[in-house]
C-alpha cells in the first residue's frame, strides 16, 4: 500500500461514479519553509477544502518533488506538486499534479522570489502573505484515484491519492530553482516507484459531451 506507483493503462479501471473533484479553496495567509528535503508552502489559516465521498479534507500545504514521483505508463516527468489535505479525524488526501519542461508554471512564478530567499536556509519560514490555492491550475477535470501512503518517512499508509491525468508544464529554471534550494545532497527528491500489489487504480474522465 505504498506510494508512489506507476499508473499503467493496462491496470487502470475507468470509473465514472467517482464524479468531478470538488475544490472549495480560498485565499489565505501562507509561509514557505525549506525543510531540507523539499520546499513547502503552508497555509497558516483556513484555505478551504476538497470533498471526497462526503468527507471534507482541509488544505494544509503544498510541496514539490523533482523528478515526478508517480509515473504514467512507466514515464516519469520533471516535477510533481503535492497538495496535502487532512480531514477532521486525521485522514489524509493528497492531490498530485505532474509537470514536464515547457512554459513556466504561473503559480511557481509567483513564488520564485520567496524560494530564492530560502535557498541558503533550513527550517526557516518566509512569510508570503495571502496565497490563493485556486491559482494552482489542474489543467484537467480527469484524475487517477488509488489508496497509498505518504512518500516521505514514516510513509504512513491509508492515504487517498488523486493524480491529475493531464501533465502540466514548468520551466527548466523553475525546476532548477526548487532543486538548488533543497539541501539533501541529491539530484532528485523523488521516492522510487513502489509495487502496485493488486490495488485498484481508478480513472475518472469527463463524458465526451462534457469534455
Amino acid at each position: 500500500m505504498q506510494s508512489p506507483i506507476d499508473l499503467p493503462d493496462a491496470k487502470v479501471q475507468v470509473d465514472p461514479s467517482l464524479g468531478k473533484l470538488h475544490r472549495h479553496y480560498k485565499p489565505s495567509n501562507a509561509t514557505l519553509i525549506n525543510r531540507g528535503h523539499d520546499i513547502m508552502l503552508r497555509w497558516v489559516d483556513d484555505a478551504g477544502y476538497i470533498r471526497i465521498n462526503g468527507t471534507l479534507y482541509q488544505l494544509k500545504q503544498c510541496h514539490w518533488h523533482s523528478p515526478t514521483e508517480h509515473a504514467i505508463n512507466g514515464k516519469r516527468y520533471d516535477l510533481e506538486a503535492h497538495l496535502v489535505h487532512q480531514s477532521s479525524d486525521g485522514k489524509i488526501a493528497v492531490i498530485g499534479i505532474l509537470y514536464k519542461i515547457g512554459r513556466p508554471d504561473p503559480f511557481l512564478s509567483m513564488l520564485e522570489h520567496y524560494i530564492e530567499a530560502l535557498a541558503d536556509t533550513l527550517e526557516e519560514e518566509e512569510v508570503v502573505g495571502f496565497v490563493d490555492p485556486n491559482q494552482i491550475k489542474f489543467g484537467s477535470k480527469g484524475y487517477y484515484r488509488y489508496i497509498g501512503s505518504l512518500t516521505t518517512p514514516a510513509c504512513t499508509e491509508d492515504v487517498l491519492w488523486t493524480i491529475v491525468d493531464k501533465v502540466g508544464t514548468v520551466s527548466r529554471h523553475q525546476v532548477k530553482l526548487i532543486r538548488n534550494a533543497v539541501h539533501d545532497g541529491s539530484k532528485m527528491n523523488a521516492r522510487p516507484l513502489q509495487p502496485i500489489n493488486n490495488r485498484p487504480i481508478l480513472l475518472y474522465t469527463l463524458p465526451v459531451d462534457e469534455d
Side-chain angles (χ1 to χ4, degrees):
M1 299 285 282
Q2 289 288 297
S3 296
I5 61 172
D6 184 25
L7 304 164
D9 287 346
K11 291 189 178 291
V12 169
Q13 307 165 35
V14 176
D15 185 355
S17 71
L18 286 172
K20 294 179 184 177
L21 188 64
H22 295 288
R23 293 191 291 167
H24 303 274
Y25 294 156
K26 58 186 179 182
S28 178
N29 277 310
T31 61
L32 264 179
I33 306 167
N34 189 338
R35 297 194 292 183
H37 63 278
D38 68 18
I39 299 292
M40 178 180 70
L41 180 71
R42 182 175 67 192
W43 280 275
V44 180
D45 301 317
D46 179 12
Y49 62 90
I50 55 172
R51 185 194 301 271
I52 301 177
N53 298 330
T55 300
L56 300 186
Y57 296 87
Q58 294 290 139
L59 177 62
K60 297 296 185 182
Q61 51 107 330
C62 173
H63 61 269
W64 295 267
H65 295 268
S66 176
T68 61
E69 296 204 299
H70 290 86
I72 298 177
N73 291 313
K75 180 175 176 58
R76 283 181 131 161
Y77 294 89
D78 298 285
L79 188 74
E80 182 169 342
H82 288 165
L83 281 69
V84 182
H85 307 71
Q86 191 168 28
S87 67
S88 58
D89 59 354
K91 290 186 168 58
I92 296 173
V94 184
I95 297 176
I97 309 170
L98 281 53
Y99 302 87
K100 62 184 177 183
I101 298 297
R103 294 174 64 86
D105 173 60
F107 187 72
L108 272 176
S109 294
M110 185 184 69
L111 297 174
E112 281 184 19
H113 168 74
Y114 301 99
I115 296 173
E116 288 172 350
L118 286 173
D120 296 319
T121 69
L122 185 62
E123 297 296 341
E124 285 189 21
E125 295 193 22
E126 185 81 12
V127 176
V128 180
F130 268 82
V131 175
D132 185 357
N134 289 301
Q135 293 182 310
I136 302 173
K137 301 304 180 187
F138 284 16
S140 170
K141 292 184 171 64
Y143 59 85
Y144 300 92
R145 169 72 50 73
Y146 80 99
I147 303 297
S149 73
L150 298 179
T151 62
T152 54
C155 300
T156 307
E157 293 190 343
D158 201 26
V159 172
L160 186 63
W161 278 95
T162 300
I163 306 294
V164 177
D165 70 351
K166 182 178 179 181
V167 179
T169 62
V170 65
S171 72
R172 199 174 300 278
H173 168 74
Q174 288 175 326
V175 173
K176 187 176 180 182
L177 185 66
I178 287 176
R179 288 301 316 138
N180 288 350
V182 173
H183 303 283
D184 57 3
S186 172
K187 294 186 183 299
M188 56 185 284
N189 68 332
R191 190 185 190 200
L193 292 172
Q194 304 296 305
I196 296 174
N197 292 333
N198 296 317
R199 279 177 282 176
I201 304 172
L202 306 179
L203 174 65
Y204 173 74
T205 57
L206 280 180
V208 175
D209 58 350
E210 291 187 44
D211 206 345

